[in-house]
Amino acid sequence: MSIDTWRDVAATTGPADRPAAEAAVRLAYHRAGLPAPGTVIWAGSPSSAVTAVRALTNPGASVRDRVRTRPWAAERARLAAELGQDGWATRWADTGARLWDLTRALTGVVREQVVAVHTGAAPDAESRARSESEIRAILLDAVLGQHDAPWLAAFDGAPALAGVAGVARTAGWWWPYEHAVVLSERPTRLLRDEAGRLHCGDGAALAYPDGFALHAWSGMPVPAELVADLRTLTPERIRVEENAELRRVMLEHFGYDRYLAESHAEPVHRDETGILWRIPLPGDEDVVMVEVVNSTAEPDGSFRTYWLRVPPGTATAKAGVAWTFGLESDEYEPQRQT
């Protein structure tokens, strides 16, 4: 499989191919020298899978190490010996490294959301800590299915990992034990911004068929109710938000220029380069922007206005524009504006 195919595997949404996934599980156990698990349980998401794992009776010990970790390590050692350390580094750079950051970020937020779901109802701090410890231990037993794509891309075609790769192509996270295996469905929805971060302004950025979901803006998890609020934001609602990170999300969605206009902000400085605006934010650094007008007319004869965000300590419009060019104010002497 090519790196592009493994990229698609990592981002696949839609129902798992359950018969193929179960056959791949049996192959993974066989390659590890283990009998096939007697019990197979499917769950609608990693969160529901954790619930299913907690409910197992006599599943035996986790065999993740034998099914995934040992053959993984053996294949890496084989490639390093065959290719040399430099060759292995090149192999990784051309395959798994190209998928690693985005996939790791995604699995990280899924883990944290699973923990939040399973510990949110704990009656006190001590119970919450015990529950969190248990959930994190269960998550350590997971094989990541489609989200193991970066490593499987580097080990593409390794016979010892054929079963693990087969599950990755057909299902989500899974938990292998001696006598039982729990498999989870893939997401039904996965939306990202241009930088590859989870991002959606009108619903869940990541959703599973059982309702488990994650709302996010530019990669930052946000409450579901905030996403609903984005449709009806006002400058006043933004101003009174106490959480600085959520306020930044609101401002980004609403638009800094629109906020300035609708909040009746006053400019703090103007000169030949533009107008400097400042938005005071309680409990956070001010947002400072320079309004500049392109000196080149658009095809319809209009002149486009741009808003440039600059450091909070900026005192003049010229200093702000100079900063965008990496210059000090006294170094910035444009022949003409563009």
Side-chain angles (χ1 to χ4, degrees), residues 29 48 54 95 123-124 182 192 202 212 233 237 255 258 310:
Y29 274 62
S48 293
R54 297 175 88 179
T95 56
D124 52 60
V182 176
R192 289 175 162 135
D202 62 358
F212 175 71
L233 277 179
R237 171 68 183 90
R258 183 183 169 196
V310 297

Side-chain angles (χ1 to χ4, degrees), residues 104-119:
R104 181 178 59 174
L106 178 60
T107 59
V109 295
V110 170
R111 287 178 188 275
E112 293 309 311
Q113 185 71 355
V114 170
V115 171
V117 166
H118 285 269
T119 61

Side-chain angles (χ1 to χ4, degrees), residues 79-105:
L79 283 173
E82 177 183 312
L83 303 174
Q85 287 301 326
D86 290 344
W88 162 248
T90 299
R91 171 74 165 260
W92 173 249
D94 290 341
T95 56
R98 295 165 61 184
L99 309 179
W100 176 251
D101 288 339
L102 290 181
T103 307
R104 181 178 59 174

Side-chain angles (χ1 to χ4, degrees), residues 139-201:
L139 289 170
L140 288 176
D141 284 338
V143 183
L144 300 185
Q146 68 183 116
H147 296 147
D148 272 334
W151 284 101
L152 291 168
F155 301 147
D156 193 29
L161 290 165
V164 175
V167 181
R169 290 192 295 268
T170 54
W173 297 16
W174 56 292
W175 281 256
Y177 296 92
E178 288 178 307
H179 311 307
V181 62
V182 176
L183 299 105
S184 67
E185 286 285 346
R186 296 178 293 206
T188 55
R189 178 181 175 99
L190 173 61
L191 298 176
R192 289 175 162 135
D193 62 14
E194 292 181 356
R197 300 170 299 187
L198 285 178
H199 178 85
C200 184

Side-chain angles (χ1 to χ4, degrees), residues 54 128 187 196 225 315 321:
R54 297 175 88 179
R128 194 157 45 248
E225 55 269 23
V321 175

Side-chain angles (χ1 to χ4, degrees), residues 36-334:
T39 300
V40 177
I41 298 172
W42 279 92
S45 70
S47 181
S48 293
V50 166
T51 299
V53 168
R54 297 175 88 179
L56 288 173
T57 56
N58 190 33
S62 170
V63 294
R64 179 182 184 275
D65 183 63
R66 293 181 63 178
V67 167
R68 175 194 184 274
T69 307
R70 292 184 196 177
W72 207 269
E75 182 62 17
R76 188 187 186 286
R78 185 190 69 78
L79 283 173
E82 177 183 312
L83 303 174
Q85 287 301 326
D86 290 344
W88 162 248
T90 299
R91 171 74 165 260
W92 173 249
D94 290 341
T95 56
R98 295 165 61 184
L99 309 179
W100 176 251
D101 288 339
L102 290 181
T103 307
R104 181 178 59 174
L106 178 60
T107 59
V109 295
V110 170
R111 287 178 188 275
E112 293 309 311
Q113 185 71 355
V114 170
V115 171
V117 166
H118 285 269
T119 61
D124 52 60
E126 184 177 347
S127 298
R128 194 157 45 248
R130 283 199 304 269
S131 179
E132 179 174 344
S133 178
E134 179 189 2
I135 301 307
R136 291 194 184 280
I138 292 173
L139 289 170
L140 288 176
D141 284 338
V143 183
L144 300 185
Q146 68 183 116
H147 296 147
D148 272 334
W151 284 101
L152 291 168
F155 301 147
D156 193 29
L161 290 165
V164 175
V167 181
R169 290 192 295 268
T170 54
W173 297 16
W174 56 292
W175 281 256
Y177 296 92
E178 288 178 307
H179 311 307
V181 62
V182 176
L183 299 105
S184 67
E185 286 285 346
R186 296 178 293 206
T188 55
R189 178 181 175 99
L190 173 61
L191 298 176
R192 289 175 162 135
D193 62 14
E194 292 181 356
R197 300 170 299 187
L198 285 178
H199 178 85
C200 184
D202 62 358
L206 179 71
Y208 284 82
D210 62 357
F212 175 71
L214 183 70
H215 295 74
W217 181 269
S218 297
M220 189 183 86
V222 297
E225 55 269 23
L226 173 62
V227 174
D229 283 350
L230 292 178
R231 304 186 188 96
T232 57
L233 277 179
T234 64
E236 177 62 16
R237 171 68 183 90
I238 296 170
R239 188 186 66 78
V240 300
E241 173 57 50
E242 295 181 355
N243 184 300
E245 290 186 340
L246 296 185
R247 192 191 304 121
R248 290 193 197 102
V249 169
M250 292 177 176
L251 273 170
E252 186 175 329
H253 183 272
F254 194 77
Y256 292 104
D257 52 345
R258 183 183 169 196
Y259 182 86
L260 287 169
E262 296 188 17
S263 63
H264 307 293
E266 295 290 335
V268 296
H269 181 266
R270 65 177 71 219
D271 56 31
E272 71 280 6
T273 63
I275 304 172
L276 186 72
W277 300 83
R278 183 178 298 275
I279 307 174
L281 297 176
D284 196 6
E285 64 181 23
D286 293 353
V287 171
V288 179
M289 306 191 76
V290 180
E291 176 187 353
V292 298
V293 178
N294 192 348
S295 61
T296 303
E298 298 296 308
D300 63 0
S302 63
F303 292 85
R304 182 174 296 180
T305 298
Y306 293 92
W307 301 81
L308 311 174
R309 188 163 182 185
V310 297
T314 304
T316 68
K318 183 178 180 181
V321 175
W323 178 84
T324 67
F325 289 98
L327 300 173
E328 297 295 331
S329 179
D330 58 2
E331 298 174 314
Y332 179 66
E333 296 294 340

